[in-house]
C-alpha cells in the first residue's frame, strides 16, 4: 500500500489538499476543539459554526484584499449551480434598475411602469457570454434554457473561441473581435452582465489577465460592464483585482478545499437592487429560488439553511495556511509558484514536439490545467503513457472524457517535488526506444 508521500496526484478535481490541513481535519472530524463533537455534527446555528464562517470569510478577505463594499457568501451547488444562480440574480438586478428608472420618469403610475419594464425585458434584456471552453459553453446554454419561456435571443455569445479555431476550443480571440452588447455610453442599452470562465479545466485555456475591454472607466455603475467570473479552477492561484468584478464565484474543490462548498464574492450595491418576486413574475421573469437568492444568503450570513460547516472549515484552514506561509502576499506568491511549476512541464512538452503536442494556443495556455496529446492523439501511446505514469505513482493524468488526451492539473497544493517527478517521466517517455 503506497504512502501519501509516494503518490503524486494531478487530478482535475477534487484536487489534492495540503497534508497538514488533512491531518488537522481528521482530528476536527472526530473531536473538534475537545468539544466531544465532530465538525460534521455541530449545529449550523451554534456559535462555533458562526465563528467558522466568520473566520473563513476574514481569511479570504485578507488573501484577496476584498473591500468592505463586497460580501462573501457560501452556497451549495458548485460552479454548475452558479450557472443558474447568476442568471436568476443578475437578471433580477437588471429588472430592478429598469423599474427604478421607469418609476423616476413615469412617476407612481404602477401600470405604466410595469408595461414599460415588461416591454424592455422582451426587447432589451441581454446576457453577454465569452465562450472559451466547455464550462463557459455550458453556462451560456443554461442561461438560454432558463430564459427560454420568454423567447430566444436573450443570450448574446459575444465571443465563441471555436469560430476562430476550426471548431475547437484552444484560443482566446482578440478583444477587437468580441461582439459585446454596447453600454449606454456607447449608444446601446447595456447587458445584464458579461460572463466568462477565467480558467477552463477541460480545454486548458486560461485568460492571461483581466480583459482590457472590460476595464471600468469610472462611469456610473449602470454604464459599466458588470463582470461575472467563474474562477472555480484558478481561485487563489494569482492576484485578483476584486473591484473590477460584480460577481466572482468558484467551487472549492480545486484550490480551496473539498466539495460541497461554493464561494461567491458579490458587490454589496447589487444586493440592494432586487425587485419584489411579484414584480419579476409580472414582467415574465422567474424570481431566484431562495437557496440561490443572494440577498437572503447574505442577510443570514450564509446560514439560511444547513450548510457544510466541515467543508467551510477546511477551506478556512487552507486559506490560513497560505497566510501563515506567505502573509498578505499569498496570491502573488502562488502566482509565481504556479508559473514556475507550469514552466517545468511546458518546457519539456515544447522541447519534444514530435512526441507531445500542447492543445491550446501558447497565448491561452492554462497554468492550472496543462492539456496535451501524444503523437497526434495516438490512443495506444497515450494509454501507455498513463499506465507508465501510474506505475510511478503519478495519478490523475487522464484528460477529460469529452476530449481525451492527457491533463496535468497544477493546483496550489501540488508541490514542485511532484511536478519534478512528472517531469522525469515526461523526459523518459519521450526518449526513442532502444534498438
Amino acid at each position: 500500500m503506497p504512502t501519501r508521500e509516494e503518490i503524486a496526484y494531478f487530478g482535475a478535481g477534487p484536487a489534492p489538499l495540503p497534508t497538514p490541513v488533512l491531518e488537522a481535519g481528521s482530528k476536527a472530524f472526530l473531536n473538534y476543539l475537545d468539544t466531544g463533537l465532530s465538525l460534521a455534527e455541530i449545529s449550523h446555528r451554534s456559535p462555533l459554526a458562526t465563528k467558522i464562517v466568520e473566520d473563513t470569510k476574514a481569511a479570504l478577505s485578507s488573501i484577496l484584499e476584498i473591500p468592505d463594499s463586497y460580501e462573501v457568501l457560501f452556497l451549495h451547488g458548485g460552479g454548475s449551480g452558479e450557472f443558474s444562480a447568476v442568471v436568476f440574480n443578475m437578471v433580477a438586478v437588471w429588472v430592478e434598475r429598469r423599474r427604478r428608472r421607469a418609476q423616476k420618469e413615469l412617476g407612481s403610475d404602477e401600470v405604466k411602469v410595469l408595461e414599460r419594464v415588461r416591454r424592455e425585458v422582451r426587447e432589451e434584456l441581454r446576457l453577454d457570454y465569452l465562450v472559451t471552453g466547455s464550462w463557459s459553453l455550458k453556462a451560456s446554454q443554461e442561461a438560454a434554457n432558463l430564459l427560454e419561456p420568454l423567447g430566444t435571443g436573450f443570450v448574446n455569445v459575444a465571443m465563441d473561441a471555436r469560430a476562430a479555431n476550426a471548431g475547437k476550443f484552444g484560443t482566446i480571440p482578440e478583444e477587437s473581435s468580441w461582439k459585446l452588447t454596447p453600454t449606454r455610453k456607447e449608444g446601446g442599452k447595456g447587458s445584464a452582465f458579461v460572463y466568462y470562465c477565467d480558467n477552463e479545466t477541460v480545454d486548458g485555456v486560461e485568460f492571461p489577465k483581466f480583459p482590457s475591454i472590460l476595464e471600468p472607466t469610472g462611469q456610473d455603475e449602470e454604464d459599466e460592464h458588470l463582470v461575472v467570473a467563474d474562477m472555480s479552477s484558478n481561485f487563489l492561484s494569482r492576484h485578483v483585482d476584486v473591484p473590477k468584478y460584480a460577481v466572482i464565484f468558484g467551487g472549492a474543490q480545486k484550490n480551496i478545499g473539498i466539495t460541497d462548498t461554493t464561494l461567491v464574492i458579490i458587490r454589496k450595491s447589487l444586493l440592494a437592487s432586487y425587485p419584489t418576486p411579484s414584480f419579476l413574475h409580472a414582467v415574465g421573469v422567474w424570481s431566484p429560488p431562495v437557496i440561490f437568492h443572494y440577498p437572503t444568503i447574505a442577510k443570514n450570513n450564509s446560514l439560511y439553511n444547513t450548510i457544510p460547516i466541515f467543508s467551510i472549515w477546511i477551506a478556512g484552514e487552507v486559506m490560513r495556511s497560505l497566510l501563515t506561509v506567505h502573509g498578505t502576499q499569498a496570491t502573488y506568491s502562488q502566482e509565481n509558484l504556479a508559473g514556475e511549476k507550469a514552466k517545468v512541464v511546458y518546457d519539456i512538452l515544447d522541447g519534444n514536439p514530435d512526441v507531445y503536442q500542447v492543445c491550446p494556443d501558447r497565448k491561452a495556455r492554462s497554468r492550472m490545467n496543462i492539456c496535451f496529446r501524444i503523437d497526434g492523439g495516438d490512443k495506444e501511446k497515450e494509454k501507455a503513457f498513463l499506465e507508465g505514469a501510474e506505475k510511478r505513482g503519478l495519478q490523475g493524468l487522464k484528460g477529460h472524457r469529452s476530449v481525451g488526451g492527457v491533463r496535468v492539473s497544477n493546483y496550489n497544493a501540488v508541490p514542485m517535488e511532484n511536478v519534478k517527478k512528472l517531469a522525469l517521466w515526461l523526459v523518459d517517455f519521450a526518449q526513442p526506444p532502444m534498438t
Side-chain angles (χ1 to χ4, degrees):
M1 181 181 296
T3 65
R4 183 170 176 80
E5 291 71 24
E6 292 173 322
I7 298 298
Y9 185 59
F10 299 93
L17 288 164
T19 297
V21 170
L22 289 175
E23 291 171 341
S26 67
K27 295 178 182 178
F29 195 79
L30 181 63
N31 187 352
Y32 182 61
L33 295 181
D34 295 324
T35 60
L37 292 173
S38 165
L39 260 184
E41 297 171 324
I42 67 169
S43 169
H44 67 296
R45 305 293 185 197
S46 67
L48 279 176
T50 299
K51 187 175 188 305
I52 288 170
V53 169
E54 291 295 341
D55 288 349
T56 304
K57 288 168 64 174
L60 181 62
S61 296
S62 294
I63 291 175
L64 291 182
E65 301 174 304
I66 300 174
D68 292 339
S69 55
Y70 282 75
E71 184 65 66
V72 176
L73 310 176
F74 300 107
L75 295 94
H76 300 280
S80 295
E82 290 307 303
F83 295 169
S84 304
V86 162
V87 175
F88 283 125
N89 285 274
M90 296 303 289
V91 168
V93 169
W94 185 92
V95 168
E96 175 61 7
R97 288 180 168 180
R98 293 305 182 100
R99 187 195 69 80
R100 291 179 182 179
R101 189 183 305 164
Q103 189 176 59
K104 182 178 180 180
E105 296 173 6
L106 300 175
S108 58
D109 190 326
E110 295 182 2
V111 174
K112 288 185 178 180
V113 169
L114 177 61
E115 290 176 349
R116 173 168 149 176
V117 177
R118 183 185 288 140
R119 184 184 70 254
E120 289 177 343
V121 167
R122 293 194 304 268
E123 297 176 359
E124 299 176 10
L125 176 62
R126 295 293 182 274
L127 284 57
D128 287 352
Y129 280 79
L130 307 178
V131 177
T132 54
S134 300
W135 294 114
S136 51
L137 175 61
K138 288 184 177 182
S140 69
Q141 292 170 337
E142 176 70 352
N145 289 337
L146 291 175
L147 294 173
E148 188 175 10
L150 286 173
T152 59
F154 296 104
V155 174
N156 171 41
V157 177
M159 176 265 281
D160 187 333
R162 295 172 297 181
N165 195 43
K168 296 181 179 180
F169 292 121
T171 65
I172 299 178
E174 293 295 327
E175 294 179 11
S176 59
S177 69
W178 301 0
K179 306 298 183 183
L180 296 168
T181 301
T183 60
R184 285 201 301 172
K185 67 176 180 289
E186 294 169 338
K189 302 294 184 179
S191 62
F193 59 84
V194 180
Y195 181 107
Y196 74 95
C197 181
D198 207 28
N199 182 75
E200 294 277 2
T201 57
V202 173
D203 307 283
V205 171
E206 183 176 28
F207 280 82
K209 62 182 181 62
F210 186 85
S212 299
I213 199 172
L214 301 180
E215 287 280 355
T217 58
Q219 302 291 321
D220 181 87
E221 189 180 60
E222 293 194 34
D223 285 331
E224 299 279 11
H225 294 292
L226 291 179
V227 180
V228 175
D230 175 359
M231 295 188 181
S232 293
S233 54
N234 64 355
F235 222 107
L236 304 187
S237 72
R238 64 182 178 187
H239 177 67
V240 175
D241 194 351
V242 174
K244 292 182 178 181
Y245 299 86
V247 179
I248 297 170
F249 72 82
Q253 69 274 13
K254 312 289 188 180
N255 275 327
I256 307 170
I258 58 179
T259 57
D260 201 27
T261 297
T262 310
L263 290 84
V264 172
I265 303 169
I266 181 170
R267 197 174 291 161
K268 286 181 179 178
S269 61
L270 300 177
L271 296 173
S273 300
Y274 281 66
T276 63
S278 60
F279 188 85
L280 279 172
H281 300 160
V283 300
V285 176
W286 292 345
S287 59
V290 67
I291 200 65
F292 284 150
H293 187 252
Y294 292 158
T296 297
I297 304 303
K299 181 180 179 180
N300 289 275
N301 193 30
S302 296
L303 296 165
Y304 174 78
N305 69 325
T306 307
I307 60 173
I309 294 298
F310 181 72
S311 299
I312 293 172
W313 181 84
I314 288 287
E317 285 293 290
V318 171
M319 295 172 196
R320 285 186 287 275
S321 68
L322 287 174
L323 287 169
T324 298
V325 175
H326 304 292
T328 55
Q329 298 297 304
T331 53
Y332 297 97
S333 298
Q334 287 300 138
E335 185 170 0
N336 291 335
L337 180 57
E340 291 170 4
K341 292 188 296 178
K343 186 176 186 300
V344 169
V345 177
Y346 279 125
D347 281 353
I348 295 172
L349 299 178
D350 291 337
N352 295 275
D354 293 336
V355 179
Y356 306 120
Q357 296 84 44
V358 178
C359 297
D361 180 77
R362 185 179 293 269
K363 292 181 180 179
R365 288 180 176 181
S366 170
R367 302 162 304 125
M368 295 288 100
N369 306 100
I370 302 168
C371 299
F372 61 95
R373 305 308 299 257
I374 296 176
D375 198 14
D378 185 296
K379 291 184 178 180
E380 289 304 314
K381 290 183 179 180
E382 289 178 346
K383 180 180 178 182
F385 176 88
L386 294 170
E387 289 177 348
E390 286 276 346
K391 293 177 181 178
R392 294 187 176 212
L394 307 170
Q395 298 185 4
L397 290 167
K398 188 175 182 179
H400 191 271
R401 63 186 181 279
S402 65
V403 295
V406 182
R407 174 173 56 178
V408 180
S409 292
N410 176 37
Y411 297 130
N412 285 358
V414 174
M416 178 64 85
E417 176 186 359
N418 286 358
V419 174
K420 290 180 178 179
K421 290 179 182 179
L422 173 62
L424 289 175
W425 174 230
L426 287 167
V427 171
D428 288 350
F429 188 84
Q431 299 304 311
M434 300 292 289
T435 57

